[in-house]
Amino acid sequence: MLSAAPLVVAATMGGMPSVTIAPGVHLPLVSLGTGSGQHGVVANATAAWLRLGGTAIDTAYIYNDETQIGAGIAASGVSRKDIFITTKVPCGTYDESIKKMDENLRELNVTSVNLTIIHFPECFGTGSAAETWRALEDVKAAGKSSAIGVSNFSPSQLRQLQTTAKDWPPAINQCSLSVGYHDDDTIKYCDENKITYMGYSPLCGGPNGSSCRHGSVMSIPQVQAIAASHNVSAAQIALKWIVQQGRPLATAVWREDYMKEDLDLWSWGSLTAEEMTTLTSI
């Protein structure tokens, strides 16, 4: 059985449970991910998510959608102070990373974000994760990001980054996480080192779902059976399995009816210990 994540708090943002990822920084357990799987107009999806009660948006430099997210936030009428924005930058040189983080802010039309993370540990050009982390440290010190973290880092890559880091540990390590795929070794390392483990591809959809041996988790018989017993959708069961461990997630969704499902994970009770074990064993 996967261990429960540390630092879960009762603090809420817009009524949704949150997890403390850094001092004074509370990440809502469900974010709208605007990367893979996003089929609609991102501005419209962003506005709809916020109007339906979602409070967290998860984007990245390489998604090329931050201008649309800024427009969606403006159209929603929701105050910036009530929104948690996560963005990511590619691994690169210090100067490249600073430039891209400033571009993120400009396109989002904000002066700061709540969380900035290194998208991948590997650089596809010059630079290094260490240089990028140093840039994130300086951006945080300048008040442009409340917290900083990483994505897709293994324990060995985290240990290597720690050798040059001044600000440690990372607030989160965002990785693929679902009923169909969970990297238990990395999860254990993060829990032991006070790094919040956040999931993407929670339904095994889009290109990031390639790690899921079973394909879409919604087609797994055990997920379907548990969903029927609770009178909810298979997607809700798959997401509930993650948040009930106290782990935040980003879900790429664009239809409003699906958004309502993804945000409604607390009104119908909890999964039993036996159900959690069944889902973990998949």
Side-chain angles (χ1 to χ4, degrees):
M1 179 70 182
L2 295 178
S3 60
L7 303 178
V8 177
V9 296
T12 64
M13 194 172 198
M16 179 181 291
S18 302
V19 59
T20 300
I21 61 171
V25 183
H26 308 300
L27 171 62
L29 285 176
V30 180
S31 296
L32 173 68
T34 63
S36 63
Q38 189 63 260
H39 303 294
V41 177
V42 174
N44 294 344
T46 300
W49 179 261
L50 295 172
R51 283 196 284 258
L52 289 170
T55 54
I57 308 293
D58 185 288
T59 183
Y61 181 86
I62 65 171
Y63 296 167
N64 296 311
D65 63 8
E66 290 176 310
T67 299
Q68 286 199 52
I69 289 171
I73 290 173
S76 73
V78 176
S79 172
R80 168 67 185 95
K81 68 180 178 62
D82 296 322
I83 304 170
F84 192 106
I85 302 176
T86 297
T87 190
K88 313 174 192 72
V89 292
C91 175
T93 67
Y94 175 89
D95 290 340
E96 288 171 346
S97 300
I98 292 290
K99 179 181 178 181
K100 287 173 181 175
M101 282 185 271
D102 285 341
E103 287 180 22
N104 286 347
L105 296 178
R106 184 169 59 254
E107 292 185 358
L108 287 164
N109 196 28
V110 297
T111 56
S112 66
V113 293
N114 303 83
L115 174 63
T116 305
I117 59 182
I118 304 176
H119 208 155
F120 297 96
E122 303 86 7
C123 294
F124 299 104
T126 56
S128 65
E131 286 186 67
T132 308
W133 186 254
R134 182 164 62 90
L136 264 65
E137 291 174 328
D138 288 350
V139 164
K140 178 183 174 184
K144 296 180 180 180
S145 187
S146 301
I148 55 177
V150 299
S151 182
N152 300 299
F153 274 62
S154 68
S156 63
Q157 290 164 332
L158 286 165
R159 285 190 289 266
Q160 178 61 36
L161 185 61
Q162 187 177 5
T163 63
T164 57
K166 296 179 181 177
D167 189 328
W168 198 262
I172 69 166
N173 185 17
Q174 188 183 106
C175 303
S176 181
L177 174 63
S178 66
V179 168
Y181 175 84
H182 38 94
D183 179 353
D184 295 349
D185 289 340
T186 300
I187 291 171
K188 182 174 184 290
Y189 180 88
C190 289
D191 287 353
E192 291 175 346
N193 289 275
K194 298 183 179 180
I195 302 169
T196 298
Y197 193 93
M198 180 179 184
Y200 65 71
S201 291
L203 303 180
C204 295
N208 289 328
S210 60
S211 58
C212 303
R213 293 178 300 161
H214 303 279
S216 170
V217 299
M218 293 181 287
S219 64
I220 297 174
Q222 297 97 312
V223 175
Q224 294 174 338
I226 294 172
S229 70
H230 286 271
N231 196 30
V232 297
S233 71
Q236 287 174 296
I237 293 300
L239 300 182
K240 183 78 164 188
W241 175 80
I242 296 174
V243 300
Q244 193 164 307
Q245 297 175 53
R247 304 191 191 282
L249 62 86
T251 177
V253 59
W254 60 279
R255 281 177 42 172
E256 289 194 26
D257 53 343
Y258 291 165
M259 289 182 185
K260 291 176 183 177
E261 287 188 1
D262 291 0
L263 291 167
D264 180 24
L265 302 180
W266 290 272
S267 70
W268 44 273
S270 301
L271 299 175
T272 67
E274 182 180 0
E275 288 169 337
M276 289 292 288
T277 299
T278 295
L279 295 171
T280 299
S281 68
I282 295 171

